[in-house]
Amino acid sequence: MGKQKAHGGTPATVALTRAKAEFTLHPYDHDPAAQAYGEEAADALGVPYERIFKTLVAEVESGLAVAVVPVAGKLDLKALAAALGGKRAAMADAAKVERVTGYVVGGISPLGQRRQLPTVVDSSALDFATIYFSAGRRGLQIETAPANLVTLTRAATAPIARR
């Protein structure tokens, strides 16, 4: 894995570059008809579903929060709420998510969002030397150590995915 330059990058790649974090970009041809963006990325890159993580945004009692879970699983909303000290969570409205994060659905990165939101990364990410997640646009994934993601987003880690 090498360092990539931020030149012409996304806010997510700029954040990693500024932090001097090692990462690799993995572009792939995005199919506009695809509905399952994470699975599409895994299939295109030949990466197991457990190592590609999707970025989801939910409404919790305190406002919006980011959940980063493997595409192989589903977000456990109750577990996310508990990890943030609450009782309830619900998926946030897509238009609101795009407005707040600055990214489009299917290309939402946990890094480089317009406003830093409380973030929880599924603890399974720590089982891998590197994980993949959106670089901030459809058709582009970042591969980096899970510790880089956790540190830069100031995330908590918790078992928030159901398999």
Side-chain angles (χ1 to χ4, degrees):
M1 230 176 3
K3 289 184 184 177
Q4 299 286 328
K5 296 281 181 237
H7 179 68
T10 67
T13 63
V14 170
L16 285 161
T17 302
R18 278 195 187 131
K20 297 182 172 51
E22 293 216 352
F23 67 98
T24 303
L25 287 178
H26 295 279
Y28 62 94
D29 290 326
H30 165 64
D31 176 359
Q35 295 292 314
Y37 304 109
E39 288 87 343
E40 176 194 31
D43 293 342
L45 298 173
V47 176
Y49 285 15
E50 294 78 17
R51 282 188 63 203
I52 297 224
F53 284 71
K54 56 189 170 186
T55 306
L56 303 171
V57 181
E59 294 264 6
V60 294
E61 286 100 338
S62 58
L64 293 177
V66 174
V68 182
V69 297
V71 301
K74 293 195 181 303
L75 173 60
D76 181 334
L77 288 164
K78 197 169 187 104
L80 173 64
L84 294 168
K87 293 182 194 236
R88 286 181 297 287
M91 294 307 295
D93 172 68
K96 183 176 185 180
V97 169
E98 290 181 347
R99 200 171 46 254
V100 170
T101 65
Y103 292 120
V104 298
V105 170
I108 296 173
S109 180
L111 294 173
Q113 296 182 1
R114 283 189 180 139
R115 193 172 93 219
Q116 182 153 8
L117 299 171
T119 302
V120 181
V121 175
D122 185 67
S123 52
S124 69
L126 305 176
D127 296 341
F128 302 102
T130 62
I131 59 170
Y132 296 70
F133 53 88
S134 178
R137 67 175 174 252
R138 297 172 187 159
L140 188 61
Q141 291 281 307
I142 289 171
E143 178 186 4
T144 193
N148 290 335
L149 176 62
V150 170
T151 300
L152 292 175
T153 58
R154 296 187 203 118
T157 57
I160 58 168
R162 288 188 308 232
R163 267 88 191 144

